[in-house]
Amino acid sequence: MSAPTAADSTVAEKLVLECLSLSHIDGDSTELNDRAVFSCLFCNQTFDEKDNVQRHLVKEHKLVIADVNLISHFQRYLLYWKARFKEQPVEDFCSIILTNSGDKDEGPKDQYYLLSDVLSEDKSLRNFLQKKTLEDVLSIQQKERDDSLPARDCLFCREKLEGNRGLLFDHMAHDHGFNVGLPDNIVYKDEFLDLLQEQLSNLNCLYCEKTFRDRIVLKEHMRKKQHRKINPNNKVYDRFYMINYLELGKNWEAIQSEDDTAIDNDAESEKEEDYSDWEEVGAQAVCLYCEFSSSIPDKLHAHMQELHDLDLKEIKLRLNLNFYQQVKLINYIRRQVHLGICIGCQEKFEDRKALTDHMHEKGHTHVIPDLLAWDQPQYFFPTYENDNLLCQLEDDDNDQQMNQDGSTTSCHGNVTVIAEDNPVENTILTDEKLRREILMS
């Protein structure tokens, strides 16, 4: 991989090319405005969705942008690098990835460019955009704290409350048990309330998000099940909480887990140290076919083997897959499941449940297609960002498997090494008198 070279000019000097006012203020927000436009870095094509421009960059221009989900103002990010690429060649900024570069690789050789925060200029740009986002969100939060707005209906009763929207959130928390956190920690309050009202108007539970036949049944369900709260796993709500803007690449779950870890460490220091039941916890990896996740590789593999009859370790040994082929296979299965296509028969389904039901019924969950279908350069890149299942793979090319006859077989080849006894010659231990003296001493 070629090392990137940073340009001499600073990010601050280049950013005058485009005004970086907060997109929520100027109405150019990706999340809120359907007219959001993402420009290609090399040609004049534009796209209305982030995923489409990324797909275009990879397919047409062989460029991959790392950790897109951590970039604030992605449109501004693209505009900045579009201007920079006009000034200097892309090789000056990007790492180069060569595919099928080995002597035994049969596929076509390709060259991809990786734009990431390994480059100091890119890292400075990401930090600058994150800082601008935080500053603008803080200004909006302060404005909302001081606002006195017209009356608005409570989500759960007919009472109308005017003035600061924090009064409405306090009313719903105290009178209806609907607690979404401290109002001072919430931003874009009216948009948040609009989203919650839309969910309830569509007869959807705010927590489990199931749909009910009428409002009476919905209210009774939320009361009995204590579902008068929002779903913490729904990422749509993240933008309404200040905590998600504080640190680059960290949402409320990551920050809260750090706080909990500090508290737990303080508590444990007062007790006798006992690590008998301690398990190392890493990042959560998700099953290839369902929503089950685990930070422990053995648990995840056991789940896929028992519930879906998919044994990745057995497949690796049976097909003699190396590390990179394992990566491609997982990315291929992820992509097919995302598209609703069965990996065994290529039949397409409308939703995930219909697909998995079919695959279990036909026994297609463990049917691996021909090598040509998935051993392609495009599957070097993960279907989902931060796919921690890939991180759980072990690059054990040098590992060996012990056979019953004492021989060893390479996990990634068919070469068998048989142990044999080699006689030792010209040793002093052949002297009978010396051996007796050693045994008597």
Side-chain angles (χ1 to χ4, degrees), residues 148-413:
S148 181
L149 301 172
R152 178 163 185 149
D153 292 339
C154 171
L155 297 177
F156 302 102
C157 68
R158 297 181 179 179
E159 186 168 351
K160 295 179 181 289
L161 289 97
E162 62 180 11
N164 192 284
R165 289 292 179 246
L167 299 175
L168 179 56
F169 282 105
D170 287 338
H171 161 77
M172 291 189 294
H174 296 150
D175 292 10
H176 304 289
F178 181 69
N179 189 359
V180 293
L182 294 175
D184 282 347
N185 296 333
I186 299 174
V187 70
Y188 311 119
K189 293 184 177 68
D190 269 321
E191 294 163 21
F192 190 18
L193 291 167
D194 290 339
L195 179 60
L196 297 175
Q197 183 63 62
E198 181 183 2
Q199 288 287 88
L200 294 174
S201 299
N202 292 333
L203 304 178
N204 296 327
C205 173
L206 297 176
Y207 182 73
C208 66
E209 300 181 347
K210 294 180 180 178
T211 304
F212 296 85
R213 65 173 184 268
D214 56 52
R215 190 172 180 84
I216 296 176
V217 177
L218 171 61
K219 290 176 66 176
E220 190 65 14
H221 160 81
M222 294 179 68
R223 183 185 65 82
K224 286 185 177 180
K225 297 291 186 179
Q226 296 183 352
H227 282 187
R228 285 190 174 178
K229 51 190 174 182
I230 61 174
N231 183 356
N233 298 319
N234 191 335
K235 303 301 182 184
V236 174
Y237 299 121
D238 284 358
R239 58 179 297 267
F240 300 112
Y241 288 89
M242 283 299 305
I243 192 173
N244 294 303
Y245 297 93
L246 297 180
E247 293 187 48
L248 181 64
K250 291 184 180 180
N251 63 359
W252 66 271
E253 292 174 306
I255 296 174
Q256 188 173 3
S257 66
E258 291 177 355
D259 296 340
D260 291 344
T261 302
I263 294 173
D264 292 341
N265 289 340
D266 291 341
E268 287 297 325
S269 63
E270 299 175 0
K271 300 178 182 179
E272 181 179 354
E273 293 186 358
D274 181 13
Y275 300 102
S276 58
D277 58 349
W278 179 80
E279 291 182 338
E280 183 176 357
V281 178
Q284 294 285 324
V286 182
C287 171
L288 288 171
Y289 294 124
C290 69
E291 296 180 353
F292 175 84
S293 65
S294 176
S295 60
I296 303 173
D298 289 343
K299 285 187 178 180
L300 182 59
H301 286 127
H303 161 82
M304 289 193 285
Q305 184 177 0
E306 295 171 5
L307 199 63
H308 305 297
D309 197 24
L310 179 69
D311 189 345
L312 293 177
K313 294 180 180 179
E314 185 273 332
I315 292 172
K316 181 187 76 171
L317 295 175
R318 174 162 52 87
L319 301 181
N320 291 326
L321 302 183
N322 60 34
F323 175 81
Y324 295 103
Q325 288 175 317
Q326 295 177 69
V327 169
K328 290 180 183 177
L329 179 59
I330 288 177
N331 290 334
Y332 169 82
I333 297 176
R334 287 271 196 229
R335 173 61 59 182
Q336 297 302 94
V337 172
H338 172 72
L339 297 175
I341 300 174
C342 173
I343 65 171
C345 64
Q346 307 304 310
E347 185 176 351
K348 187 173 177 58
F349 296 86
E350 294 297 327
D351 56 65
R352 174 76 66 89
K353 186 178 186 304
L355 170 66
T356 52
D357 288 346
H358 160 82
M359 295 181 72
H360 284 106
E361 181 181 349
K362 299 296 184 180
H364 288 177
T365 53
H366 61 279
V367 176
I368 305 302
D370 187 77
L371 200 69
L372 294 176
W374 54 267
D375 194 6
Q376 302 294 331
Q378 67 194 77
Y379 297 115
F380 272 119
F381 305 103
T383 301
Y384 299 108
E385 292 184 359
N386 301 324
D387 187 350
N388 290 311
L389 181 57
L390 300 175
C391 300
Q392 292 185 355
L393 295 177
E394 296 180 0
D395 188 3
D396 51 359
D397 287 344
N398 296 322
D399 285 356
Q400 293 181 326
Q401 178 181 351
M402 181 65 70
N403 301 324
Q404 291 182 353
D405 59 0
S407 64
T408 59
T409 303
S410 171
C411 291
H412 298 290

Side-chain angles (χ1 to χ4, degrees), residues 20-249:
L20 289 175
S21 59
L22 182 65
S23 53
H24 292 108
I25 298 176
D26 60 24
D28 196 26
S29 168
T30 303
E31 295 85 355
L32 298 179
N33 198 321
D34 293 334
R35 296 174 298 172
V37 175
F38 300 95
S39 301
C40 174
L41 300 178
F42 302 98
C43 62
N44 295 325
Q45 281 193 258
T46 57
F47 302 86
D48 56 359
E49 292 186 9
K50 186 187 295 186
D51 290 342
N52 292 339
V53 70
Q54 294 180 77
R55 191 178 301 111
H56 168 79
L57 288 171
V58 172
K59 185 177 180 181
E60 300 297 332
H61 304 291
K62 310 294 186 183
L63 180 90
V64 180
I65 301 176
D67 298 322
V68 173
N69 61 313
L70 305 183
I71 301 175
S72 302
H73 292 302
F74 188 54
Q75 293 163 278
R76 313 299 190 200
Y77 180 88
L78 293 176
L79 290 173
Y80 175 86
W81 281 116
K82 186 180 182 76
R84 293 292 282 132
F85 289 162
K86 288 180 180 179
E87 299 172 358
Q88 294 177 237
V90 64
E91 290 84 357
D92 288 353
F93 304 104
C94 296
S95 303
I96 297 176
I97 301 174
L98 298 176
T99 62
N100 294 319
S101 58
D103 296 336
K104 298 182 179 180
D105 293 336
E106 299 178 356
K109 295 184 179 181
D110 262 322
Q111 177 174 293
Y112 288 85
Y113 299 100
L114 177 65
L115 181 60
S116 70
D117 60 0
V118 173
L119 180 71
S120 59
E121 184 176 349
D122 185 89
K123 184 174 183 179
S124 298
L125 174 61
R126 294 179 187 228
N127 289 333
F128 182 89
L129 294 173
Q130 172 69 17
K131 182 180 177 181
K132 286 293 295 180
T133 301
L134 179 58
E135 290 174 354
D136 292 336
V137 170
L138 285 171
S139 67
I140 291 178
Q141 182 194 41
Q142 186 59 48
K143 182 177 180 295
E144 289 183 341
R145 287 177 177 177
D146 300 334
D147 272 348
S148 181
L149 301 172
R152 178 163 185 149
D153 292 339
C154 171
L155 297 177
F156 302 102
C157 68
R158 297 181 179 179
E159 186 168 351
K160 295 179 181 289
L161 289 97
E162 62 180 11
N164 192 284
R165 289 292 179 246
L167 299 175
L168 179 56
F169 282 105
D170 287 338
H171 161 77
M172 291 189 294
H174 296 150
D175 292 10
H176 304 289
F178 181 69
N179 189 359
V180 293
L182 294 175
D184 282 347
N185 296 333
I186 299 174
V187 70
Y188 311 119
K189 293 184 177 68
D190 269 321
E191 294 163 21
F192 190 18
L193 291 167
D194 290 339
L195 179 60
L196 297 175
Q197 183 63 62
E198 181 183 2
Q199 288 287 88
L200 294 174
S201 299
N202 292 333
L203 304 178
N204 296 327
C205 173
L206 297 176
Y207 182 73
C208 66
E209 300 181 347
K210 294 180 180 178
T211 304
F212 296 85
R213 65 173 184 268
D214 56 52
R215 190 172 180 84
I216 296 176
V217 177
L218 171 61
K219 290 176 66 176
E220 190 65 14
H221 160 81
M222 294 179 68
R223 183 185 65 82
K224 286 185 177 180
K225 297 291 186 179
Q226 296 183 352
H227 282 187
R228 285 190 174 178
K229 51 190 174 182
I230 61 174
N231 183 356
N233 298 319
N234 191 335
K235 303 301 182 184
V236 174
Y237 299 121
D238 284 358
R239 58 179 297 267
F240 300 112
Y241 288 89
M242 283 299 305
I243 192 173
N244 294 303
Y245 297 93
L246 297 180
E247 293 187 48
L248 181 64

